């Protein structure tokens, strides 16, 4: 039942986002463009990481900490186990901008830039929600290793 709910929510979210002009292809392309400017490898969209981004959003929303990273490493370990290096970047805005605008803003922040440019990342996932008049975007970047 939970997977069916997640699928329905994901489909609704994708349709809503596509109608606003923000697509996963735009996000991956914008992040890869930023990474290539610093001679870093490309990343690919990973559905498991998008599911984790959704999990993170729901966890942070329950804790009323949507813009606080909270206990991120513990959440990663609980969700993935010890599979590699995982990080996140979060944006909160009063309107939904295009993906490139968010990436440009993250690249202006030394901490976010460091995470986006971490050299061994191979995968990303993300989620977007509108809550109380704000758009919340959580991007998970990872170097996933098989166990």
């Amino acid at each position: 039942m939970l997977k069916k709910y997640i699928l329905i929510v994901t489909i609704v979210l994708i349709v809503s986002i596509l109608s606003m002009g923000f697509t996963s292809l735009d996000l991956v392309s914008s992040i890869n463009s930023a990474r290539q400017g610093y001679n870093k490898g490309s990343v690919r969209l990973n559905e498991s990481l998008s599911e984790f981004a959704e999990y993170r959003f729901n966890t942070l929303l329950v804790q009323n900490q949507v813009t606080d990273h909270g206990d991120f490493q513990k959440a990663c370990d609980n969700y993935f186990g010890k599979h590699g290096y995982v990080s996140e970047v979060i944006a909160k805005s009063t309107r939904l901008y295009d993906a490139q605008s968010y990436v440009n803003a993250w690249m202006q922040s030394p901490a976010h830039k460091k995470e986006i440019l971490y050299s061994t990342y191979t995968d990303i996932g993300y989620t977007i929600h509108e809550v109380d008049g704000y758009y919340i975007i959580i991007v998970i970047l990872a170097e996933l290793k098989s166990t």
Side-chain angles (χ1 to χ4, degrees), residues 36-55:
Q36 289 165 359
Y38 289 85
N39 297 317
K40 306 297 181 185
S42 295
V43 294
R44 63 182 174 258
L45 185 63
N46 181 303
E47 289 304 317
S48 293
L49 290 177
S50 291
E51 290 173 11
F52 180 63
E54 184 71 20
Y55 166 80

Side-chain angles (χ1 to χ4, degrees), residues 34-35 38 40 89 103-119 121 141:
R35 288 175 58 83
Y38 289 85
K40 306 297 181 185
V89 291
V103 173
N104 289 345
W106 285 321
M107 293 299 287
Q108 296 301 311
S109 160
H112 291 95
K113 181 178 180 177
K114 177 183 173 187
E115 297 305 333
I116 289 172
L117 297 179
Y118 189 76
S119 63
Y121 285 146
L141 302 115

Side-chain angles (χ1 to χ4, degrees), residues 93-141:
S93 58
T94 55
R95 73 179 187 99
L96 187 63
Y97 297 93
D98 62 283
Q100 187 63 57
S101 295
Y102 288 104
V103 173
N104 289 345
W106 285 321
M107 293 299 287
Q108 296 301 311
S109 160
H112 291 95
K113 181 178 180 177
K114 177 183 173 187
E115 297 305 333
I116 289 172
L117 297 179
Y118 189 76
S119 63
T120 60
Y121 285 146
T122 56
D123 298 82
I124 68 167
Y126 76 102
T127 191
I128 301 174
H129 288 275
E130 184 178 5
V131 178
D132 297 330
Y134 290 95
Y135 289 94
I136 309 297
I137 301 175
I138 299 177
V139 176
I140 306 295
L141 302 115

Side-chain angles (χ1 to χ4, degrees), residues 27-38:
L27 180 64
V28 172
S29 177
S30 296
I31 287 176
N32 280 334
S33 178
R35 288 175 58 83
Q36 289 165 359
Y38 289 85

Side-chain angles (χ1 to χ4, degrees), residues 74-91:
K74 183 177 180 183
C76 290
D77 291 346
N78 289 341
Y79 198 85
F80 289 107
K82 304 279 185 185
H83 287 268
Y85 186 76
V86 182
S87 186
E88 72 182 343
V89 291
I90 298 176

